[in-house]
Amino acid sequence: MRANEIRISFLEFFAKRGHHLVPSSSLIPKDDPTLLFTNAGMNQFKNIFLGLEKRSYTRAATVQKCLRVSGKHNDLEQVGRTPKHHTFFEMLGNFSFGDYFKEQAISYAWELITEVFKLPPDRLYITIYQEDEEAFNIWNKKIGIDSSRIFRFGKKDNFWAMGDTGPCGPCSEIHYDQGEEVEKGSPFELIESGSDRFVELWNLVFMEKFQTEQGQLLPLPKPSIDTGMGLERMAAVLQGKKSNYETDLFQPIIEAISEESGREYPAGTEEDVYFRIIADHIRAITFLIGDGVNPSNEGRGYVLRRLIRRAYRRGNLLGLDKPFLYRLTSIVGDIMKKAYPELMTSLPYISRVCLAEEERFAHTLNSGLRYFEQFAEEAVTSGQKVISGDKVFKLYDTFGFPVDLTQELAREKNLDIDEAGFHRELEVQKERARQSWEGETRAKEKSFYQSLKSLRITPVFYEKEEVEETEVLALIKEGKLVDILKEGETGEVILSITPFYAESGGQVGDSGILKSSSFSGTVENTFAPLPGLIVHRLKVLSGELRPGQSLSAVVDSTRRKAISRNHTATHLLHASLRLILGDHVRQSGSLVSPRRLRFDFTHFVALSEEEIRQVEQLINEKIRENLPVITKVTTLEEGLAEGAMAIFEEKYGEKVRLVRVGDFSKELCGGIHVKNTGEIGFFKIISESSVAAGLRRIEAVTGEEAFNYVKELENLLSQLVRTLKVSSQELPARVDKLLKNLEEQEEEIRQLKQKLISQASQSPEITIKEISGVKLVAQKFEGLDMESLRNYADSLKQKVGSGVIVLASATDGRVLLVIAVSPDLTEKIQANKMIKEIAQVIGGGGGGRTDFAQAGGSKTENIDLALQKCFDFLHKNL
Ligand code: ATP
Ligand code: MG
């Protein structure tokens, strides 16, 4: 059975038994901040198990992408060393949400494994939780498994818990015996010790208890089932292999590595481990990038970076000294595309991200290794046998060596590293970065605003642009509360009710006017130093302002409209880019101002002209359709369930605001939008550029600004039309013609220069001498450039046949010098050696080959002396 058939028969088996088939969720958990990566099939159902969410079905089955490189489940160290542990793997699972329980789950598993997959029962062993008599009886009595093949284990192995509190329960595992030839011994002990002879195929978790914060175990009202079977392990067993790496899921990758490196697999040496690590990591790398992770120095991005660097270094050890992983991503694509068709569209992107990271690392690996050697030697000679934290940090910081790489290198030399010391250095650097970024004043500012948190402010910016009566709650000047702001002064004001939108989510803050019968001032900007604390930057135009005073507040409505046009356009842009470029496109930052919008997103290559045109066309179409923009407040779960795009870096509270533009775009967003897309009028991209590896930026304008932009282009065009005196249609042809003329004239100038040289060669300034039978031709010019000198030296050399040619020219206040030596003489006279001496005379430097060298210097007055030195040089050396 090929892996793909295993996936399909698993899903079919459970679909026939009333299970709802749910697609794999992303490797990046959607709304679980406690989890870096999806590491089990049950992750995406966690809220159902917790009773927080309901679905239309009570049974489900999945094939789930999993990654176990961090947190509670971290198998990184085992990868490559065991035949059955991977970083990335697929977990086949069936789930019951308060539907069937233990007996049914066990029967399903046994039926699938022995009747569909046809595994011989005498190869199978069962483990159960020591106190789970119910499970024992089902396996023993109902299924008919001899008690000698059912092993009881303790809490560590056979009791599962979601966390310190929450659902938990005993579990039961099905193990496969690979045979005595792998390892002899008692099955119980071998399973306990994790021997390669036994493969844990399937784990069935019986969620029947709930652990309270006080540590009590209460019965769950609706016991549930969560199971997980490793696809790679099942494939190995069904394909009669002892190792997952010999299955069709890995073989093509192994073969490609073998081809790239010219090494055999298996070779029975440590190199086999490198093969397996690369083959394992490349799958994780491909899927991580496919799910939107970019290599970086933090969080998920750092895990990806480490995987790429670990794999790259293993390639290095196999003799590969250039990027190669990026090519393997397409092989992973080939193997997995049937199950994950979305991979195909993102493969080019994935391979580019991978290549860029490989190149970055390849660049510093060698110099880093040199430093490492030096550090290692110092550690040995000092007798410490430990590489200190600051050195580990230097390798990390300067050469991008992940700590585990340094650790590995150290281990190879029987050395240790000071990991704690490294983390201290890292903290120091982080603190430094934070301070220089935030500045101490910022920190102080923050604590000042903290003291104003209790002010009760009613924001009405979604509903209104004007408030007739609002009260001054506080006045601030230069970071201090004040009692008065006088005419001409600038400060900050906090209002009881405000129609002003404070800068957030990329949208700039509102501006406008505050007014009463005795006072007027302009709000220049609005911001929220703390969530909910809306602060207006105010300039007092007339009168004075004191706390408690009543005012009217009016937002600059024209500006607000321009901002909202750009904000809605940003949503249209986001949705359009995903449609046109693919689902890997994700917002990574945005700025929405009245004049323009800026949108940063993940995508590797520059957009083609055609793609830009498509995006513009699609957005303008949506504008003409005059789609309604509808907002509603909902919970984060519901918003996500409705398919709204959420920005990963953004932090969402309990309640979120869902902004829907027709059926075209859904985003969680707190910003201000137009009512109908028609208000945007016209959308135009004005630039597309790169921000960082894998990050692009689009800037665009809408409405009146877009009109102005087109108008400006038109003006530019008419200016050109006037200068060149042709119609705009004829412009391209005209410019082509001008460029051609220019080229012809440049050629003419070149020829004239050449002529000048040949005339010069008949000038009296030429000196021809014979020194010890060697002909020397020396000549002085004015105003020739280096290229002309070189050309002339070449032609002279041909004319003279055997000899030394020295040409000098005083040009633009500098001396240019060229020396050519015919090939028969380079044994005795080397042009590059000779020019080094002469160059000193003209106050400069130079170099070249033995038969040809050039130099430049500033001492034009020494040009004759330089030629004289040439004679001297020949006298001395011949
Ligand atoms: P093991 O003890 O072998 O590491 P586990 O107890 O960590 O496995 P579970 O957390 O119960 O495994 O996961 C369910 C199933 O997923 C396992 O029975 C196994 O088939 C598979 N699995 C778990 N970890 C890995 C891994 N690192 N690589 C491949 N398959 C795995
Ligand atoms: Mg494990």
Side-chain angles (χ1 to χ4, degrees):
M1 252 199 198
R2 301 182 57 82
N4 206 42
E5 294 166 61
I6 302 175
R7 288 191 196 99
I8 292 169
S9 30
F10 179 89
L11 292 175
E12 265 178 359
F13 179 89
F14 284 104
K16 274 194 200 142
R17 286 156 185 77
H19 289 66
H20 189 86
L21 303 187
V22 181
S24 171
S25 63
S26 163
L27 282 174
I28 296 147
K30 261 224 179 79
D31 43 5
D32 188 348
T34 62
L35 205 56
L36 204 55
F37 296 108
T38 300
N39 61 25
M42 60 78 58
N43 292 165
Q44 66 165 322
F45 303 116
K46 187 168 159 185
N47 282 341
I48 310 183
F49 287 123
L50 286 170
L52 296 175
E53 191 192 330
K54 272 222 151 17
R55 299 258 171 109
S56 54
Y57 45 85
T58 53
R59 304 173 164 209
T62 59
V63 176
Q64 175 66 48
K65 301 183 269 190
C66 294
L67 195 72
R68 292 196 169 179
V69 286
S70 55
K72 193 171 105 187
H73 288 293
N74 188 342
D75 291 339
L76 192 63
E77 289 307 316
Q78 264 136 295
V79 168
R81 309 241 161 235
T82 79
K84 56 186 179 186
H85 285 96
H86 304 295
T87 55
F88 171 90
F89 68 100
E90 290 167 90
M91 198 187 279
L92 311 176
N94 59 295
F95 306 90
S96 153
F97 312 118
D99 189 326
Y100 60 84
F101 196 50
K102 213 175 280 186
E103 182 167 339
Q104 184 71 84
I106 290 177
S107 317
Y108 281 156
W110 191 254
E111 185 187 349
L112 178 66
I113 259 190
T114 56
E115 283 170 37
V116 181
F117 292 160
K118 298 202 161 45
L119 293 185
D122 63 355
R123 288 259 178 177
L124 298 172
Y125 287 81
I126 306 298
T127 68
I128 57 167
Y129 178 51
Q130 57 201 13
E131 290 164 23
D132 194 354
E133 288 314 320
E134 191 188 355
F136 178 83
N137 285 330
I138 297 169
W139 282 117
N140 182 241
K141 307 235 158 63
K142 173 133 197 292
I143 307 283
I145 296 180
D146 195 83
S147 60
S148 65
R149 304 178 81 85
I150 305 175
F151 301 141
R152 292 168 189 257
F153 285 99
K155 230 177 167 146
K156 185 172 76 62
D157 293 302
N158 283 62
F159 196 89
W160 177 91
M162 195 178 279
D164 294 336
T165 64
C168 56
C171 61
S172 176
E173 300 160 346
I174 304 175
H175 292 251
Y176 181 83
D177 184 357
Q178 287 280 24
E180 284 212 315
E181 66 265 36
V182 180
E183 192 174 354
K184 280 200 175 54
S186 104
F188 178 86
E189 275 163 27
L190 292 176
I191 287 179
E192 191 178 32
S193 67
S195 157
D196 288 347
R197 173 168 156 195
F198 286 92
V199 189
E200 178 193 322
L201 288 176
W202 203 346
N203 189 357
L204 317 175
V205 178
F206 315 124
M207 265 181 240
E208 56 187 17
K209 295 268 166 30
F210 190 96
Q211 171 128 17
T212 65
E213 274 178 37
Q214 290 77 36
Q216 281 170 293
L217 276 181
L218 306 176
L220 261 187
K222 284 190 169 179
S224 293
I225 291 293
D226 152 31
T227 85
M229 175 208 287
L231 172 69
E232 298 73 12
R233 295 183 184 183
M234 190 49 94
V237 167
L238 290 177
Q239 292 169 19
K241 309 289 187 195
K242 296 250 171 347
S243 157
N244 294 0
Y245 294 94
E246 290 166 33
T247 64
D248 63 327
L249 285 165
F250 287 91
Q251 262 312 298
I253 311 176
I254 297 269
E255 275 161 25
I257 301 169
S258 180
E259 214 162 273
E260 291 266 352
S261 64
R263 314 266 170 117
E264 292 283 323
Y265 179 89
T269 63
E270 181 72 6
E271 286 192 357
D272 294 350
V273 179
Y274 307 155
F275 264 85
R276 292 193 286 266
I277 289 181
I278 298 170
D280 172 89
H281 286 13
I282 195 62
R283 298 185 349 134
I285 292 164
T286 306
F287 277 91
L288 276 174
I289 302 174
D291 277 348
V293 180
N294 255 313
S296 77
N297 265 346
E298 255 166 27
R300 303 189 168 103
Y302 191 57
V303 171
L304 171 61
R305 169 160 288 170
R306 266 173 61 202
L307 287 171
I308 296 179
R309 296 188 171 186
R310 274 175 66 100
Y312 184 84
R313 151 119 166 113
R314 294 313 182 292
N316 227 238
L317 293 172
L318 290 177
L320 292 163
D321 57 0
K322 278 190 207 64
F324 66 100
L325 292 168
Y326 72 103
R327 278 196 296 272
L328 298 179
T329 58
S330 68
I331 295 174
V332 176
D334 278 343
I335 301 170
M336 304 296 262
K337 67 186 167 199
K338 275 215 183 102
Y340 304 93
E342 72 276 10
L343 213 52
M344 290 324 284
T345 49
S346 26
L347 267 181
Y349 170 77
I350 293 172
S351 128
R352 298 295 292 259
V353 173
C354 184
L355 173 61
E357 181 63 18
E358 284 186 87
E359 278 175 340
R360 196 169 305 148
F361 187 48
H363 197 68
T364 53
L365 180 62
N366 285 332
S367 21
L369 281 175
R370 270 203 301 280
Y371 271 91
F372 172 81
E373 292 297 333
Q374 191 190 321
F375 294 160
E377 214 179 285
E378 283 165 17
V380 170
T381 46
S382 75
Q384 300 266 342
K385 299 219 135 204
V386 175
I387 299 179
S388 63
D390 59 327
K391 288 174 181 156
V392 179
F393 181 75
K394 185 182 165 107
L395 289 168
Y396 165 86
D397 196 40
T398 317
F399 300 104
F401 276 31
V403 188
D404 54 357
L405 171 58
T406 308
Q407 184 146 43
E408 230 169 68
L409 292 166
R411 219 179 285 145
E412 285 164 20
K413 291 188 182 293
N414 280 324
L415 295 172
D416 235 333
I417 64 168
D418 175 8
E419 218 178 319
F422 163 79
H423 286 290
R424 272 196 303 277
E425 290 287 329
L426 192 63
E427 279 313 307
V428 170
Q429 190 211 34
K430 273 198 187 144
E431 183 58 22
R432 227 181 289 132
R434 200 185 59 74
Q435 277 184 3
S436 63
W437 178 67
E438 243 182 12
E440 275 181 34
T441 44
R442 263 298 276 286
K444 254 195 227 149
E445 226 172 68
K446 252 202 170 138
S447 70
F448 164 71
Y449 287 118
Q450 207 83 39
S451 68
L452 303 177
K453 247 181 110 173
S454 56
L455 292 179
R456 303 189 111 244
I457 299 169
T458 313
V460 292
F461 46 73
Y462 288 136
E463 307 92 52
K464 293 186 181 164
E465 293 185 351
E466 249 185 89
V467 171
E468 266 172 43
E469 202 174 321
T470 176
E471 190 192 322
V472 175
L473 295 182
L475 293 173
I476 302 156
K477 197 171 154 70
E478 284 151 12
K480 286 193 194 79
L481 284 176
V482 291
D483 289 335
I484 186 166
L485 279 181
K486 293 189 190 137
E487 194 168 310
E489 284 187 329
T490 304
E492 289 162 12
V493 54
I494 299 177
L495 301 171
S496 61
I497 307 173
T498 179
F500 287 88
Y501 179 85
E503 173 181 355
S504 81
Q507 177 176 335
V508 299
D510 275 332
S511 58
I513 295 171
L514 299 183
K515 225 167 42 189
S516 73
S517 54
S518 62
F519 167 87
S520 83
T522 49
V523 172
E524 294 172 337
N525 190 16
T526 310
F527 62 100
L530 298 169
L533 184 70
I534 301 173
V535 180
H536 312 79
R537 196 173 297 282
L538 178 76
K539 183 167 168 72
V540 181
L541 296 180
S542 68
E544 52 186 43
L545 201 60
R546 291 172 188 276
Q549 219 162 305
S550 269
L551 295 165
S552 69
V554 185
V555 172
D556 178 342
S557 163
T558 316
R559 184 168 174 275
R560 157 86 68 96
K561 281 214 176 66
I563 296 171
S564 50
R565 277 198 298 265
N566 282 338
H567 205 151
T568 309
T570 306
H571 287 209
L572 290 177
L573 177 61
H574 192 182
S576 304
L577 287 170
R578 286 175 67 97
L579 270 181
I580 289 165
L581 303 179
D583 281 346
H584 60 275
V585 168
R586 255 154 250 245
Q587 169 169 351
S588 81
S590 83
L591 172 74
V592 178
S593 77
R595 301 211 52 186
R596 68 199 167 98
L597 63 96
R598 194 176 75 201
F599 186 73
D600 295 347
F601 59 101
T602 49
H603 182 57
F604 210 86
V605 288
L607 271 69
S608 66
E609 268 178 38
E610 175 58 19
E611 284 167 333
I612 290 180
R613 197 190 58 77
Q614 282 176 355
V615 171
E616 288 178 334
Q617 191 170 332
L618 182 57
I619 294 176
N620 283 302
E621 223 170 272
K622 295 296 157 194
I623 292 173
R624 289 192 298 273
E625 283 172 20
N626 200 22
L627 302 170
V629 181
I630 293 162
T631 58
K632 82 168 180 197
V633 176
T634 173
T635 63
L636 181 58
E637 285 71 29
E638 266 177 44
L640 293 173
E642 279 193 45
M645 281 189 276
I647 316 303
F648 180 63
E649 279 74 18
E650 201 102 332
K651 285 188 194 68
Y652 295 100
E654 277 283 288
K655 293 274 173 226
V656 296
R657 195 158 159 274
L658 178 67
V659 177
R660 182 199 302 269
V661 186
D663 283 333
F664 188 65
S665 141
K666 268 183 243 167
E667 274 191 47
L668 301 183
C669 170
I672 295 186
H673 291 268
V674 297
K675 296 213 162 46
N676 294 288
T677 54
E679 291 171 45
I680 300 170
F682 175 42
F683 172 92
K684 183 86 192 76
I685 291 177
I686 57 175
S687 80
E688 193 275 341
S689 58
S690 156
V691 200
L695 268 194
R696 309 291 309 173
R697 166 171 294 174
I698 282 183
E699 290 182 280
V701 285
T702 65
E704 197 181 342
E705 282 298 328
F707 171 80
N708 289 342
Y709 176 75
V710 173
K711 199 71 208 154
E712 245 168 58
L713 286 184
E714 202 179 55
N715 286 344
L716 224 77
L717 200 64
S718 22
Q719 228 172 3
L720 281 177
V721 161
R722 255 177 281 131
T723 318
L724 296 178
K725 296 189 183 64
V726 289
S727 74
S728 55
Q729 281 76 17
E730 290 163 334
L731 260 184
R734 180 82 183 122
V735 171
D736 268 354
K737 194 161 162 233
L738 283 175
L739 282 177
K740 220 191 219 135
N741 282 352
L742 202 65
E743 246 171 57
E744 280 168 15
Q745 283 169 8
E746 270 169 2
E747 175 60 22
E748 205 177 317
I749 291 172
R750 210 184 56 76
Q751 283 176 8
L752 285 174
K753 265 192 195 160
Q754 204 66 45
K755 219 183 241 164
L756 221 74
I757 296 172
S758 57
Q759 277 168 7
S761 64
Q762 279 125 42
S763 78
E765 290 264 20
I766 189 164
T767 318
I768 301 176
K769 276 194 181 164
E770 243 186 62
I771 299 155
S772 315
V774 170
K775 198 182 275 171
L776 172 73
V777 180
Q779 196 169 358
K780 208 168 79 175
F781 302 92
E782 256 171 47
L784 285 190
D785 58 14
M786 196 52 106
E787 194 190 347
S788 309
L789 281 183
R790 273 200 305 264
N791 289 341
Y792 183 45
D794 271 345
S795 71
L796 265 186
K797 202 155 99 177
Q798 282 184 6
K799 247 191 248 165
V800 173
S802 169
V804 176
I805 289 147
V806 180
L807 304 180
S809 173
T811 307
D812 298 336
R814 284 180 61 78
V815 185
L816 305 179
L817 199 66
V818 155
I819 298 178
V821 178
S822 60
D824 56 314
L825 297 175
T826 51
E827 287 265 300
K828 290 187 240 165
I829 304 290
Q830 289 86 34
N832 47 1
K833 225 164 114 192
M834 183 166 165
I835 207 139
K836 283 237 164 68
E837 268 185 37
I838 317 298
Q840 285 171 5
V841 182
I842 55 168
R849 304 186 308 256
T850 52
D851 61 337
F852 189 90
Q854 62 185 47
S858 54
K859 296 187 176 158
T860 42
E861 67 277 15
N862 285 354
I863 199 163
D864 289 318
L865 186 61
L867 293 176
Q868 182 57 48
K869 281 272 175 200
C870 290
F871 304 139
D872 298 349
F873 185 91
L874 292 185
H875 274 300
K876 219 166 42 194
N877 287 285
L878 286 170

